[in-house]
Each structure stands twice: as structure tokens, then as C-alpha cells.
């Protein structure tokens, strides 16, 4: 995807100007979308394209029952009305994710400087990192880091399992039962569909030490062993660098569940722009990448977190 993006950006340079002096808004949507999913751990959540600035998504809080009629009863009676389904619509205006760069004009005016590669290698990972933060640790505060979005590890509606055993205040004190009890905290209906873990990658060395008995009974399996993805007690893992990173008492260290239970709605459009004027004193030019989207829990019962015991 990177070569396609760079080609589109390079083609968008203003003819006759020094390379990189001006970049108009350039839609490189398909390639940028692929790059965002490459850099962002949110790719394994319920990613959905937003068709417009305002988009409605169903927020599931229950499932209806279905009924069946035998041939003798078909057409003779109406099925019972299921009134247990409770649901809402998420009607949200898309937030604006923005990555702002300042680039030296000495670089931009150099014909040998690859401005397209430089912009993409900074802007795309920066945007993906912010989406990951909002999806996993967003606090719900309406500020420039969260924009009112609440992450999986913070949402109080998502159930959390805490080991009852005294001393389970760090990862090395956990066992298979703790991880399986976290799986059990997810609604059974969600377990019918493919589920996975979301964990900070810095925990890999500690998780690799956890065993369930003698011999090769390690709870965490590497790709070399599975010939595929990392695996923890039978379920695949997404390593998310924006997940909680503290191995301390009372901290959440893992999330588990059915990915589409958390919504990451994104417009499949991105603008990369350059300022019309440079910073004269600093000899710089401002560049920015903008995309729009929204992160929000869709079905809290389809997710659960694992929280270490208190002191």
C-alpha cells in the first residue's frame, strides 16, 4: 500500500514549485486504509466504514428469541412477541483525528528528499496510534486525547474478572483458571463467534513463563508452535501497544471477547495537506493528515477484562 500512497502524493505536488512546497488535499483512501489497518491494532475490532459524517449503528443490549411452527400450526396462530430486546442506536458525529507535522524547508526544497515517504511514515502511524488509544484506553473525557471516546479497558459496562487468590497482584501469579474465568465472563452468545485476546506486547516475556503443570504446558503459544497466530489458552491474541502497560495490583492487563462487540467506525477518506505559508523564522512548513471516525462499545456483554488482585 505504501508505494501506491507515495505515488498519489507525489502526483499531487503543485507543478512548477519546489518538491514538497505545497500539497493540496490528496484522497488516497484505499491505500491509506490498508496502511492504517497495518499499523493499528484496532484492525481486529469491529471496524466499519462510515458512509457519512453522521452514521447510525445499532447498539446491541439483548437478542430476541425465535419460534418454530409445526406444519399443523402454520398459519393458525401468531408467534409470541419477544419484548426482551432492548437496543439503542449510536447516532454520532464523527470525531476528527489529526496528525500535525512541521518539516524543514531545507528538506522540502531538496529535489532528492522523498517528501511522500516522509509524510506517510509519520502521519499514518500517528493516526493509527490515536485510534488505538481511544479504542483501548480512551477515558471518555472530551479532550484532545480522547474526544469523549471510552476504551475497552475503561468502559465500566464491560465486565471484569479479578482473581480471588491472595497475592495475584502481578502477571507471574496468574494461572490458567484466571484466563479461563475471564473467558467465562463473556456472554455465551458471543462465544459462539470467533473471540480473541487484546494484550500489551510488553507482557510477552512474563506470559511466556506461565505454565499449567510439568513439561511443555505453557499457556502462551508462539507462532512457531501454532504455525499461525500467538495463542493464549486456546484463543488468538492481538498485541496492542496502546493497551494498559502496568503489571501492578488492581490493574487490567488483558481484554477478551468477540471483536465486533466494540465499534471502530472510520471514514475511508484521508486528507494530507501542507500549509500555504511557511514559518519564516523557523524555516519550516506545516503538514497535516486528517481522518474522521468514532470508537465506542457496541455490545458490552461480548467483552471482558482481566484485572489483577488488589494488595
Amino acid at each position: 500500500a505504501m508505494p501506491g500512497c507515495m505515488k498519489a502524493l507525489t502526483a499531487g505536488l503543485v507543478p512548477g514549485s519546489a518538491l514538497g512546497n505545497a500539497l493540496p488535499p490528496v484522497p488516497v483512501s484505499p491505500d491509506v486504509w490498508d496502511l492504517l489497518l497495518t499499523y493499528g491494532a484496532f484492525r481486529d475490532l469491529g471496524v466499519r466504514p462510515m458512509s457519512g459524517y453522521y452514521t447510525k449503528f445499532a447498539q446491541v443490549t439483548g437478542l430476541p428469541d425465535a419460534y418454530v411452527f409445526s406444519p399443523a400450526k402454520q398459519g393458525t396462530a401468531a408467534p409470541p412477541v419477544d419484548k426482551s430486546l432492548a437496543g439503542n442506536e449510536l447516532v454520532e458525529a464523527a470525531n476528527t483525528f489529526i496528525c500535525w507535522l512541521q518539516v524543514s524547508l531545507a528538506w522540502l526544497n531538496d529535489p532528492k528528499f522523498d517528501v511522500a515517504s516522509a509524510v506517510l511514515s509519520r502521519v499514518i502511524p500517528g493516526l493509527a496510534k490515536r485510534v488505538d488509544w481511544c479504542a483501548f484506553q480512551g477515558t471518555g473525557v472530551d479532550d484532545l486525547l480522547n474526544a469523549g471516546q471510552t476504551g475497552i479497558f475503561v468502559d465500566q459496562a464491560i465486565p471484569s474478572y479479578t482473581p480471588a487468590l491472595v497475592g495475584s497482584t502481578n502477571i507471574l501469579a496468574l494461572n490458567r483458571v484466571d484466563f479461563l474465568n475471564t473467558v467465562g465472563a463473556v456472554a455465551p452468545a458471543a462465544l459462539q463467534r470467533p473471540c480473541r485476546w487484546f494484550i500489551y506486547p510488553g507482557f510477552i516475556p512474563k506470559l511466556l513463563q506461565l505454565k499449567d503443570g510439568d513439561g511443555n504446558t505453557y499457556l502462551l503459544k508462539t507462532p512457531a508452535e501454532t504455525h499461525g497466530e500467538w495463542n493464549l489458552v486456546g484463543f488468538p491474541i492481538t498485541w496492542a501497544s496502546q493497551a494498559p502497560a502496568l503489571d501492578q495490583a488492581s490493574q487490567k492487563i488483558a481484554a477478551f471477547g468477540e471483536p465486533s462487540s466494540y465499534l471502530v467506525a472510520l471514514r475511508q477518506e484521508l486528507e494530507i495537506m501542507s500549509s500555504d505559508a511557511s514559518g519564516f523564522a523557523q524555516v519550516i512548513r506545516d503538514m497535516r493528515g486528517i481522518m474522521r471516525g468514532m470508537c465506542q462499545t457496541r455490545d458490552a456483554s461480548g467483552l471482558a477484562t482481566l484485572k489483577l488482585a488488589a494488595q
Side-chain angles (χ1 to χ4, degrees):
M2 181 71 83
C5 288
M6 290 191 293
K7 182 178 180 181
L9 283 174
T10 302
L13 296 173
V14 175
S17 66
L19 182 62
N21 267 14
L23 283 171
V26 180
V28 288
S29 304
D31 292 323
V32 168
W33 181 262
D34 291 343
L35 282 176
L36 283 170
L37 298 182
T38 298
Y39 283 107
F42 70 86
R43 64 183 176 274
D44 289 326
L45 293 171
V47 179
R48 298 289 185 274
M50 295 184 73
S51 58
Y53 185 72
Y54 292 92
T55 303
K56 292 184 178 181
F57 290 94
Q59 184 179 38
V60 181
T61 56
L63 294 173
D65 286 326
Y67 301 91
V68 57
F69 288 95
S70 65
K73 293 185 178 181
Q74 290 177 16
T76 63
V81 177
D82 191 318
K83 298 181 179 181
S84 64
L85 176 64
N88 300 301
E89 286 181 324
L90 304 180
V91 186
E92 300 287 356
N95 289 319
T96 297
F97 294 84
I98 181 168
C99 187
W100 199 293
L101 301 176
Q102 289 188 328
V103 184
S104 167
L105 280 178
W107 288 356
L108 295 180
N109 290 330
D110 184 350
K112 296 182 179 179
F113 178 69
D114 188 355
V115 60
S117 177
V119 171
L120 288 171
S121 64
R122 301 297 187 275
V123 170
I124 304 303
L127 292 172
K129 178 180 178 181
R130 182 52 52 194
V131 176
D132 276 354
W133 170 266
C134 293
F136 294 109
Q137 288 201 78
T139 63
V141 177
D142 189 6
D143 59 16
L144 294 181
L145 298 179
N146 306 278
Q149 297 162 111
T150 304
I152 292 173
F153 287 89
V154 179
D155 192 341
Q156 295 301 307
I158 294 174
S160 184
Y161 168 77
T162 303
L165 185 64
V166 176
S168 297
T169 57
N170 58 74
I171 291 174
L172 293 178
L174 299 176
N175 56 45
R176 173 180 287 272
V177 172
D178 296 323
F179 293 102
L180 294 182
N181 283 341
T182 305
V183 172
V186 172
L191 294 176
Q192 295 179 114
R193 302 184 292 277
C195 295
R196 63 192 306 118
W197 294 96
F198 298 91
I199 305 174
Y200 176 64
F203 294 156
I204 291 176
K206 295 179 180 179
L207 291 171
L208 282 171
Q209 298 179 55
L210 300 182
K211 298 184 67 174
D212 184 29
D214 298 328
N216 186 22
T217 57
Y218 292 97
L219 303 186
L220 180 62
K221 304 294 184 182
T222 69
E225 297 172 279
T226 64
H227 302 288
E229 295 186 86
W230 288 84
N231 192 288
L232 180 62
V233 295
F235 293 93
I237 306 169
T238 295
W239 299 114
S241 62
Q242 296 304 307
L246 294 178
D247 180 17
Q248 299 175 2
S250 301
Q251 296 296 318
K252 295 178 180 179
I253 57 95
F256 176 83
E258 198 277 311
S260 67
S261 298
Y262 193 89
L263 174 69
V264 180
L266 297 174
R267 292 293 303 274
Q268 289 182 281
E269 297 174 359
L270 185 140
E271 293 179 352
I272 296 179
M273 307 177 68
S274 172
S275 60
D276 294 330
S278 63
F280 182 79
Q282 295 83 17
V283 197
I284 57 173
R285 183 175 295 278
D286 291 326
M287 292 187 174
R288 71 185 186 193
I290 296 176
M291 57 180 267
R292 293 171 177 84
M294 169 61 66
C295 303
Q296 194 160 355
T297 302
R298 192 174 188 182
D299 182 2
S301 69
L303 297 162
T305 58
L306 172 55
K307 183 177 180 181
L308 297 173
Q311 291 284 7

